[in-house]
């Protein structure tokens, strides 16, 4: 197979990859927590603040127009990137977490009542659990959780059985951050839609690893964070089908989200502004647009193919290490390798690897219920991005073997 | 290969991690408290037997990293025979040592707990070392609930 991705050229675009950590070359394998930024993204922010910055949607002066053009230009890029039908369906928020809370509080509080059910899975990130628990407390609705098996896959039959006449919303992770599992989301959406139930997909992990087409998925909501997509932190996206968004009340009140205000009555602005109260995160939206340009130039399908090779390589190597158990062996998986070692706690693994310049995450990965399924307190997790290499995976594996030796 | 870590992972710590002391459930303890570190999900249960205000026996159960296991193992050894006040004083000194405000601190005051002094260079790991002591503190104050490092 020919690789259509030049990893050395990509690496050169990420200044932080030249950092030394504890006098060793950085091996950054914590991309599922947040990934690093290419120079193009950093430059886009510097350029905005140096040449084009003012508040958006407000002024007639030149800078406000320039700033607004860049800001709305980024919205158009996001729309194309996920193939939404309209820019009205792209709401800028702080991240995946805020997007889910927005849907829970705006859609949830107007469409979900006591006794209704919300269906999630056992592999959700806390941010796709807690907002629904809050909604359930507010409304008397009930949270239902579809189980997973020990490969870390959704038990689809059980999931389908849990779709009932009372189910009002299905909210499922597209790709699990703790396990790497990619869920059969098209099938899930189709099954829910057959009963007229809308579906939210948590795309926080999926979005940097594969081409996402929200119209093809036919999901009703799709959420993701910029910081896992090579874009700045503090910016994220809620995609929602226009008809649903139109029928939802605002999430927050303030400037920009109104058309007319008197003390008696306020007329809300049109989409997407109805959901964007106050001055938005202008610079980071522009940064998100730059990240999308950068990714489009490489091609999401090329990225997916390259990362699949990395994961294959890492999995094969990891299986050769005695005492290592991979957590999450779904058939359909993104580039995440979570593991535990016999008698060595993930925290010790994390500290030891850090001393070799290797950044991995150790902990429950904001998915405590997943840890409960596997009856472990935590895992160590290496998560890969398009700038990682097989040589880095070799460094990781050698590090793991040495620390096993040291612990004896 | 792990030369940088020698101050953190001393041989004594590996030893206590491999063979934790007083690692057992206690029959009819006078105090029993659960400690929890939400950062890493580590849990431990600490058991104490008291005679008046003297700790006559201490044991624990649970799973944690090498630092937290060694810390609780060493603690159960050292507090046996100590009064509540003596144990609290030791906690205070241990806390000072691990949070490292006083670089010149006299490590003799904490005896063999000094092997844990290395954590002060690793802020992310300080809570691993102090969980045991926060749990003991709660047990001495007779708080029969679960405590956390947060
Ligand atoms: C699957 C998943 N969902 C949601 C989130 C929350 O994202 P954020 O913290 O950027 O809002 C994360 C981040 O770790 C995640 O991995």
């Amino acid at each position: 197979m020919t690789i259509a991705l030049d990893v050395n050229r990509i690496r050169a675009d990420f200044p932080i990859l030249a950092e030394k950590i504890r006098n060793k070359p950085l091996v950054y394998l914590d991309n599922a927590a947040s990934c690093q930024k290419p120079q193009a993204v950093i430059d886009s922010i510097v350029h905005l603040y140096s040449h084009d910055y003012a508040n958006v949607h407000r002024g007639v002066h030149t800078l406000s127009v320039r700033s607004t053009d860049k800001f709305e230009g980024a919205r158009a890029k996001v729309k194309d990137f996920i193939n939404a039908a309209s820019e009205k369906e792209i709401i800028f928020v702080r991240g995946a977490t805020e997007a889910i809370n927005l849907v829970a509080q705006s859609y949830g509080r107007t469409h979900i009542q006591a006794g209704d059910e919300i269906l999630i899975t056992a592999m959700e990130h806390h941010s796709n659990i807690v907002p629904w628990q809050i909604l359930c407390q507010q409304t008397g609705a009930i949270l239902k959780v579809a189980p997973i098996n020990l490969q870390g896959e959704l038990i689809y039959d059980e999931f389908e059985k849990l779709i009932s006449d009372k189910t009002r919303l299905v909210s499922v992770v597209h790709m699990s951050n703790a396990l790497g599992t990619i869920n059969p989301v098209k099938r899930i959406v189709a099954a829910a839609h057959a009963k007229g139930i809308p579906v939210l997909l948590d795309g926080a992990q999926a979005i940097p690893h594969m081409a996402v087409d929200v119209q093809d998925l036919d999901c009703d909501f799709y959420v993701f964070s910029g910081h896992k997509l090579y874009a700045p932190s503090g910016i994220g996206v809620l995609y929602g089908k226009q008809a649903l968004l139109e029928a939802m009340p605002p999430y927050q009140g303030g400037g920009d989200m109104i058309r007319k205000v008197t003390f008696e009555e306020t007329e809300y602005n049109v989409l997407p502004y109805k959901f964007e109260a106050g001055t938005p995160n202008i610079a980071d939206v522009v940064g998100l647009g730059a990240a999308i340009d950068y990714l489009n130039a490489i091609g999401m399908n090329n990225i997916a193919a390259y990362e699949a090779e990395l994961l294959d390589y890492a999995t094969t190597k990891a299986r050769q290490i005695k005492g290592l158990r991979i957590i999450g062996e779904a058939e359909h998986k993104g580039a995440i390798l979570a593991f535990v070692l016999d008698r060595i706690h993930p925290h010790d693994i994390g500290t030891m690897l850090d001393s070799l310049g290797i950044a991995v995450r150790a902990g429950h990965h904001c998915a405590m219920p997943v840890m409960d399924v596997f009856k472990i307190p935590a895992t160590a997790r290496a998560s890969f991005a398009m700038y990682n290499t097989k040589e880095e995976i070799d460094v990781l594996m050698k590090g793991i073997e040495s620390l096993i030796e040291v612990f004896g | 290969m792990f030369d940088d870590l020698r101050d953190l992972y001393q041989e004594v710590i590996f030893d206590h991690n491999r063979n934790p002391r007083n690692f057992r459930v206690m029959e009819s303890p006078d105090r029993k408290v659960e400690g929890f570190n939400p950062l890493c999900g580590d849990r431990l249960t600490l058991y104490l037997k008291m005679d008046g205000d003297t700790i006559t026996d201490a044991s624990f159960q649970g799973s944690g990293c090498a630092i937290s296991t060694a810390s609780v193992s060493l603690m159960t050894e050292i507090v046996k025979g100590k009064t509540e006040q003596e144990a609290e004083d030791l906690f205070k000194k241990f806390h000072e040592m691990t949070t490292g405000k006083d670089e010149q601190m006299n490590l003799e005051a904490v005896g063999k707990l000094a092997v844990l002094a290395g954590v002060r260079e690793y802020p992310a790991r300080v809570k691993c070392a102090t969980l045991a002591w926060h749990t003991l503190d709660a047990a001495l104050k007779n708080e029969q609930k679960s405590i956390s490092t947060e």
Side-chain angles (χ1 to χ4, degrees), chain B residues 57-74:
Chain B
D57 194 13
S59 73
F60 77 101
Q61 284 276 283
S63 73
C65 63
I67 307 296
S68 84
T69 303
S71 179
V72 64
S73 170
L74 283 159

Side-chain angles (χ1 to χ4, degrees), chain A residues 101-122:
Chain A
N101 278 281
L102 191 161
V103 174
Q105 289 303 308
S106 171
Y107 181 83
R109 292 199 80 169
T110 46
H111 293 77
I112 295 174
Q113 295 160 8
D116 289 348
E117 293 172 0
I118 299 156
L119 178 56
I120 62 172
T121 79

Side-chain angles (χ1 to χ4, degrees), chain A residues 48 71 84 99 110 134 165 184 210-211 267 271 273 304-305 322-323 340 359:
Chain A
L48 177 82
F71 182 82
T110 46
I134 292 172
D165 293 343
M210 63 190 82
E267 198 181 312
L271 287 175
Y273 311 110
K322 220 172 135 251
V340 290

